Amino acid sequence: MEQPKAARVKDVAKAAGVSVATVSRAFNLPETVSEEARKHVLEVAARLGYRPNPAAKALRLQRTFMVGAIFPTTDHGLYSGMLSSFQARMSQAGYLSALITVGFDNSRIFEPVKQLLDRGVEGLMMVGRIDDHRLLAHLLESRIPVVSTYSHLADAPFPSVGSDNYAATTQMMKHLLGLGHRHFAMLSGPAVGNDRQQARRRAYVEALRAAGIDDEPLIFEDPKGYSLDHATRTMRTLVDAYPEVTAVVCNSDYYGLAALCEAKKLGIDVPGRMSIVGFDDQEFAALVDPALTTISVNSAEMGAEAATILLRALEGQTSPSRQIPANLVIRASSGPAP
């Protein structure tokens, strides 16, 4: 049986009683036609089953309509939510998002990002601050639109959408200090090339100093990047070597989850003997027992807003950075110091 021929732009123009140019403008340059004309053309096109060919459009305009999304990993729910909302908004605007993961060290990402640029992406969404000087110089020279997310970066050369990691950790430390805790440990992700961990660690140390706690700050860094094994091993170390610790500040909810599970195995009462807190407020944080005190971060809003700013930049418009609130969520895993 012979398949019916797909509707062409000429068919839409004839049925709508307009020129081919008007149909093209209705799809590609809607601001150049009246709302009434655009609506009429789209209704006729939908009735005929016509869809514009994106490949032909890209070739005609000499554009790729592709953007790059640079993430540390997609293993964590936080990044998955951010990526999903970013892709959805970019797709709605007709852009394809090309994803690459580069780990947590943003000081060594020139080569993988350069590969994306060489393939014609028109803009980039980065997670965190760009600490790779070669990449930064290249982006500034090429003037490609860039937006950073997850961190609010007041002094960066590109707009950012994210939270103030220093202020968020300061909130948490004030909460724990207010509960009477004086002996702390922090479980940290890799800090090299990672502005989020750097800011949280700095806030932790400065909060201890401001509280008059002069002991050497305990920070256990995970060089592999947020492994559950790091949290479980650290908990055993704390019990054996630092029994005075009563508050464990985890720089991710994954650390917090593993720390809670290991505490239960070791017979540690949480929060009676030890308070354990996290960061990001992943969905499971409210479901564990005891429920995890943490910092709430709206990753989906960050991704969607990053896409909006990048789309404006692709149209030649400038946008200011936007700070997304990060709020302390107090649950059952934190309590008064014993």
Side-chain angles (χ1 to χ4, degrees):
M1 183 175 179
E2 187 177 348
Q3 295 291 328
K5 291 184 178 180
R8 300 170 298 174
V9 65
K10 292 190 292 185
D11 302 323
V12 177
K14 182 177 180 181
V18 298
S19 68
V20 169
T22 299
V23 175
S24 178
R25 286 196 298 270
F27 279 97
N28 302 317
L29 298 168
E31 68 278 4
T32 64
V33 298
S34 69
E35 179 61 25
E36 182 180 0
R38 188 187 73 85
K39 185 177 179 181
H40 175 58
V41 168
L42 295 183
E43 287 175 349
V44 171
R47 189 174 73 244
L48 296 178
Y50 169 77
R51 290 189 177 188
N53 186 329
K57 177 183 177 182
L59 184 62
R60 182 173 65 254
L61 298 179
Q62 294 187 325
R63 294 183 57 186
T64 64
F65 291 95
M66 290 175 55
V67 295
I70 319 302
F71 277 74
T73 180
T74 55
D75 290 343
H76 299 170
L78 170 86
Y79 296 122
S80 299
M82 192 183 295
L83 176 62
S84 179
S85 60
F86 175 79
Q87 283 186 317
R89 186 155 295 184
M90 295 305 301
S91 179
Q92 188 178 31
Y95 285 84
L96 176 68
S97 302
L99 166 70
I100 62 170
T101 58
V102 293
F104 293 93
D105 183 355
N106 272 9
S107 66
R108 303 176 63 182
I109 57 175
F110 176 78
E111 294 300 338
V113 176
K114 181 68 162 49
Q115 289 182 24
L116 270 184
L117 296 172
D118 290 344
R119 283 162 174 75
V121 297
E122 300 179 12
L124 294 175
M125 190 268 269
M126 308 285 306
V127 171
R129 186 182 63 216
I130 302 172
D131 287 346
D132 189 315
H133 298 300
R134 279 203 303 164
L135 177 60
L136 190 58
H138 183 77
L139 294 175
L140 290 171
E141 183 179 357
S142 62
R143 297 187 178 182
I144 186 170
V146 178
V147 60
S148 295
T149 190
Y150 198 0
S151 301
H152 180 253
L153 305 169
D155 300 324
F158 307 111
S160 63
V161 181
S163 300
D164 185 332
N165 287 276
Y166 180 93
T169 299
T170 300
Q171 281 188 73
M172 183 64 80
M173 291 300 293
K174 286 182 177 178
H175 167 63
L176 294 170
L177 288 163
L179 290 170
H181 293 280
R182 290 298 180 270
H183 299 284
F184 292 79
M186 171 174 272
L187 275 64
S188 169
V192 175
N194 186 334
D195 67 277
R196 287 86 64 202
Q197 293 300 309
Q198 292 169 12
R200 294 173 198 175
R201 288 164 65 148
R202 191 172 72 255
Y204 167 74
V205 171
E206 293 180 4
L208 295 178
R209 295 291 177 257
I213 300 172
D214 296 326
D215 298 340
E216 183 67 24
L218 287 178
I219 300 177
F220 296 86
E221 179 172 333
D222 180 3
K224 296 180 181 179
Y226 308 98
S227 66
L228 299 182
D229 180 62
H230 170 68
T232 57
R233 285 187 289 103
T234 300
M235 287 298 293
R236 296 187 206 117
T237 299
L238 291 177
V239 171
D240 293 338
Y242 304 95
E244 71 278 9
V245 169
T246 63
V248 180
V249 180
C250 300
N251 280 352
S252 82
D253 285 345
Y254 288 96
Y255 285 160
L257 172 64
L260 283 174
C261 292
E262 191 62 19
K264 186 169 290 189
K265 290 180 183 177
L266 296 171
I268 299 173
D269 178 18
V270 178
R273 159 70 179 82
M274 178 184 288
S275 290
I276 297 175
V277 300
F279 202 109
D280 289 329
D281 198 18
Q282 296 290 285
E283 289 183 350
F284 61 78
L287 303 178
V288 296
D289 182 27
L292 188 64
T293 293
T294 187
I295 297 291
S296 177
V297 174
N298 193 332
S299 60
E301 183 180 2
M302 289 180 187
E305 185 64 17
T308 297
I309 289 177
L310 189 57
L311 287 168
R312 288 176 185 158
L314 289 163
E315 295 171 359
Q317 303 176 36
T318 58
S319 301
S321 294
R322 183 182 166 201
Q323 184 169 335
I324 306 293
N327 300 312
L328 174 64
V329 180
I330 300 174
R331 298 193 178 104
S333 71
S334 60

